[in-house]
């Protein structure tokens, strides 16, 4: 009898572990959801419409025009920064370099950093910054766009809208946002915390596996 | 009774001698510990918790020869920042601006003591008197 109970307990334990493992293979989908009801051929179906990143128009550090089209079918990580930022940006850049080094040879993964100081951060300034950081090729883009548009865009990434302040110049938060191939938000990570960035690197792998199935 | 008094006196004497010998040591430790906190709040974001800097953007603080060579200018760098200057650190050139700070001379001395004795550097105590003298000579 005792053995039976023991065996049952073990079985429960094992199944609990497996259950957890299965849960970990998909990432959550963040943002607002809207139910959409469609009537196709007399049948009514309800779908969930997830929040997605809207279209944007920017220029990268090479002077190329970059819009959402250039990110079609790609997983990417986004953040907001400016090159003369004395506070959290160097830490973010250091941690993002880890992401870059992990995926720089993977053409399915991109990193985009929007500048929130487009007046100072011209294409030339961004190129110099990328060079000094040791970033080459087309894996990591530094993007300059119209200030109001970028600030507006930051809201759809669910990050704090940047603000200007006399002393710090710009106030913003240091989140890295993981976007899937359908432009949905699948993860947010504090870019100033190395542990969270390690998580992000692992989550990109998970997300890649997920989109490989579909 | 006599033995007790003598032994207590001996212990007191020993403590006195010990504390005298270590006064410099204690000052150093006080500077170093406070300096590490100043470093964390004013320097670490750019120069890193390991003092290694960031690629070609932020210079490392591990170049002992550089620190020695610029010993009298370091306080000025911290107080007034660096603008349009090129520094050669560890055989690489760095031309980014460094922001100025509003640190007091004692805080500059503490953080310099911390940096000059961390990251592989071992240059001893840098006093606030020295920092004040150096600041008077800033170009």
């Amino acid at each position: 009898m005792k053995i039976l109970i023991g065996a049952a307990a073990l079985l429960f334990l094992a199944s609990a572990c497996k259950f957890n493992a299965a849960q970990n293979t998909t990432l959550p989908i963040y943002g607002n959801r809207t139910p959409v009801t469609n009537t196709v051929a007399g049948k009514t179906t309800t779908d969930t419409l997830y929040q997605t990143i809207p279209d944007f128009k920017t220029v990268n550090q090479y002077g190329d025009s970059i819009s959402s089209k250039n990110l079609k079918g790609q997983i990417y990580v986004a953040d907001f920064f400016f090159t003369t930022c004395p506070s959290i940006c160097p830490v973010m850049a250091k941690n993002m370099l880890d992401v870059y080094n992990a995926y720089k040879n993977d053409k399915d993964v991109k990193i985009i950093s929007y500048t929130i100081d487009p007046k100072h951060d011209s294409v030339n300034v961004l190129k110099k910054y990328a060079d000094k950081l040791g970033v080459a090729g087309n894996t990591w883009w530094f993007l300059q766009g119209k200030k109001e548009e970028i600030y507006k865009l930051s809201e759809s990434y669910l990050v704090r809208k940047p603000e200007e302040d006399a002393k710090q110049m710009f106030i913003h938060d240091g989140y890295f946002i993981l976007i899937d191939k359908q432009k949905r938000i699948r993860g947010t990570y504090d870019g100033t915390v190395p542990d969270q960035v390690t998580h992000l690197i692992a989550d990109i792998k998970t997300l890649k596996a997920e989109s490989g199935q579909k | 009774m006599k033995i007790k008094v003598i032994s207590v006196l001996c212990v007191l004497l020993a403590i006195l001698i010990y504390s005298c010998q270590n006064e410099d040591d204690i000052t150093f430790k006080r500077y170093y510990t406070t300096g590490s906190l100043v470093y964390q709040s004013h320097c670490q974001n750019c120069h890193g918790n390991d003092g290694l800097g960031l690629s070609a953007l932020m210079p490392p603080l591990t170049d002992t020869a550089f620190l020695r060579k610029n010993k009298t200018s370091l306080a000025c760098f911290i107080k007034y920042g660096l603008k349009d200057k090129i520094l050669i650190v560890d055989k690489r050139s760095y031309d980014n601006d460094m922001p100025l700070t509003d640190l007091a001379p004692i805080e500059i001395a503490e953080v310099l003591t911390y940096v000059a004795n961390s990251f592989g550097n071992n240059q001893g105590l840098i006093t606030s008197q020295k920092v004040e003298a150096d600041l008077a000579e800033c170009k």
Side-chain angles (χ1 to χ4, degrees):
Chain A
M1 187 58 200
K2 255 187 188 169
I3 296 172
L4 259 178
I5 293 172
L10 263 178
L11 208 71
F12 269 122
L13 214 66
S15 62
C17 289
K18 260 191 190 157
F19 180 67
N20 276 338
Q23 255 193 340
N24 281 340
T25 52
T26 49
L27 303 175
I29 299 168
Y30 294 99
N32 294 324
R33 303 166 180 213
T34 333
V36 180
T37 309
N38 282 322
T39 313
V40 182
K43 266 188 176 178
T44 310
T45 52
T46 306
D47 270 338
T48 310
L49 201 65
Y50 293 97
Q51 180 171 333
T52 56
I53 304 302
D55 289 341
F56 59 85
K57 280 193 184 115
T58 54
V59 178
N60 71 5
Q61 74 265 38
Y62 305 111
D64 301 331
S65 298
I66 301 296
S67 68
S68 325
K69 274 185 200 144
N70 301 81
L71 294 162
K72 208 178 168 190
Q74 286 199 306
I75 291 168
Y76 70 92
V77 182
D79 73 349
F80 294 82
F81 86 115
F82 59 107
T83 60
T84 49
C85 157
S87 54
I88 56 173
C89 306
V91 185
M92 290 164 65
K94 191 181 176 186
N95 291 330
M96 193 66 103
L97 265 181
D98 289 342
V99 183
Y100 171 74
N101 286 324
Y103 291 101
K104 65 180 167 190
N105 296 319
D106 188 332
K107 54 181 187 342
D108 290 337
V109 179
K110 276 209 190 308
I111 301 168
I112 57 174
S113 293
Y114 298 96
T115 176
I116 55 170
D117 183 13
K119 199 174 160 192
H120 176 269
D121 292 343
S122 61
V123 168
N124 276 337
V125 171
L126 291 174
K127 175 70 167 60
K128 246 189 200 166
Y129 183 83
D131 287 348
K132 284 182 182 171
L133 205 55
V135 172
N138 280 297
T139 301
W140 190 349
W141 283 332
F142 297 89
L143 302 179
Q144 184 213 33
K146 279 205 185 94
K147 193 163 142 188
E148 307 77 51
E149 285 176 22
I150 298 299
Y151 282 25
K152 182 104 184 54
L153 187 65
S154 74
E155 289 175 345
S156 37
Y157 281 104
L158 301 178
V159 299
R160 176 177 175 174
K161 196 175 177 184
E163 286 170 57
E164 280 179 71
D165 155 275
K167 193 163 175 248
Q168 273 251 300
M169 285 171 42
F170 296 92
I171 306 171
H172 64 124
D173 63 17
Y175 278 92
F176 293 171
I177 308 103
L178 178 59
I179 307 294
D180 70 9
K181 293 184 176 180
Q182 288 85 40
K183 297 184 196 168
R184 300 174 302 191
I185 300 172
R186 302 303 293 273
T188 59
Y189 313 82
D190 188 338
T192 60
V193 180
D195 278 358
Q196 294 214 10
V197 177
T198 311
H199 245 282
L200 165 62
I201 292 171
D203 282 356
I204 294 175
K205 209 174 158 193
T206 308
L207 191 55
K208 272 180 62 111
E210 174 194 301
S211 35
Q213 285 166 1
K214 278 173 193 170
Chain B
M1 185 60 199
K2 225 179 188 181
I3 297 175
K4 253 192 186 170
V5 171
I6 289 173
S7 61
V8 165
L9 280 176
C10 278
V11 168
L12 281 177
L13 199 71
I15 290 173
L16 203 71
I17 291 170
Y18 182 79
S19 58
C20 282
Q21 274 177 342
N22 284 283
E23 201 174 334
D24 284 348
D25 209 28
I26 289 166
T27 310
F28 173 79
K29 277 181 183 150
R30 206 176 57 224
Y31 267 61
Y32 185 89
T33 311
T34 326
S36 78
L37 298 176
V38 178
Y39 184 82
Q40 278 171 31
S41 53
H42 289 89
C43 320
Q44 188 166 299
N45 277 337
C46 291
H47 292 289
N49 56 355
D50 44 14
L52 290 178
L54 177 62
S55 305
L57 286 167
M58 318 291 179
L61 304 172
T62 51
D63 186 349
T64 283
F66 177 89
L67 294 182
R68 219 176 273 285
K69 203 176 143 200
N70 293 281
K71 213 171 179 177
T72 51
S73 320
L74 295 176
C76 304
F77 292 172
I78 293 175
K79 184 161 174 74
Y80 299 107
L82 290 164
K83 207 170 164 53
D84 303 325
K85 270 199 178 147
I86 298 172
L87 298 183
I88 309 291
V89 185
D90 205 13
K91 294 174 193 134
R92 289 171 80 174
S93 76
Y94 294 86
D95 61 1
N96 268 26
D97 295 347
M98 174 162 129
L100 51 83
T101 62
D102 50 4
L103 292 176
I106 176 73
E107 291 174 300
I108 295 178
E110 285 159 349
V111 79
L112 279 178
T113 300
Y114 174 73
V115 169
N117 296 281
S118 303
F119 321 130
N121 304 312
N122 186 13
Q123 305 187 2
L125 177 72
I126 294 163
T127 62
S128 68
Q129 286 87 345
K130 183 185 173 338
V131 164
E132 277 178 53
D134 288 345
L135 286 179
E137 302 286 316
C138 284
K139 281 164 206 157

